[in-house]
Amino acid sequence: VQLQASGGGSVQTGSSLRLSCSGSGFTLNDYAIGWFRQAPGKHREGVSCFSLPDDSSTYYAEFVKGRFTTSGDIAKTTVYLQMSDLNPEDTAVYYCATVCIYGTVLPSTPAKFGSWGQGTLVTVSS
C-alpha cells in the first residue's frame, strides 16, 4: 500500500488549491482516506476523512467546514481535497493516509496505524 500527496503550492489569502492523494496496492473500497496537516511547530491534525466503505464516516474538521471538500475517483484510486478561501492559518504540510483520525495525531501514530504518504506543502500568504 502506497500513497502520495501532491498539488501543494504557494498561494495568496482567498485562493483555492486542489490536493491529490494517489494510491496503489489497494482500492478506495478497502480503506477510508484521511487528510491531515502539520503546521510548523504544531502537532499533526486531522482535516477530513473520505470513506466509500462507510459514507457516514466522511467528516471535516471544524476549522475547514464549508471551505474544504473531499472526494474520490475509484478508477484512479485517488482522493482529492479541494480547498477554497485559504488563509495563512492553513499553511502546513498536508498528508494523506489510509486511516482517519479526528483531532490531534500523536507523533507515534503514523508508525503504528495506516499507511502514510509523503506530504505536500501548502503556503498561504496574506
Side-chain angles (χ1 to χ4, degrees):
V1 174
Q2 292 185 321
L3 303 96
Q4 181 163 351
S6 61
S10 296
V11 297
Q12 293 188 325
T13 296
S15 299
S16 299
L17 274 178
R18 188 178 79 161
L19 305 184
S20 299
C21 175
S22 299
S24 62
F26 67 98
T27 75
L28 294 185
N29 288 309
D30 297 328
Y31 299 105
I33 301 298
W35 280 101
F36 304 84
R37 71 185 189 184
Q38 187 164 14
K42 295 186 177 181
H43 287 302
R44 196 170 299 186
E45 59 186 356
V47 173
S48 68
C49 178
F50 174 81
S51 179
L52 275 181
D54 180 5
D55 185 62
S56 65
S57 296
T58 298
Y59 70 77
Y60 299 91
E62 286 296 324
F63 50 80
V64 302
K65 277 186 179 179
R67 301 188 299 125
F68 291 12
T69 303
T70 186
S71 61
D73 186 325
I74 299 175
K76 296 181 179 180
T77 315
T78 298
V79 174
Y80 303 99
L81 184 67
Q82 179 67 49
M83 308 185 295
S84 61
D85 194 22
L86 288 163
N87 60 66
E89 289 69 41
D90 296 315
T91 295
V93 177
Y94 284 73
Y95 300 87
C96 59
T98 58
V99 64
C100 290
I101 299 171
Y102 188 82
T104 300
V105 179
L106 297 176
S108 61
T109 295
K112 295 180 180 179
F113 300 101
S115 296
W116 294 72
Q118 63 181 28
T120 185
L121 177 62
V122 173
T123 303
V124 185
S125 59
S126 57

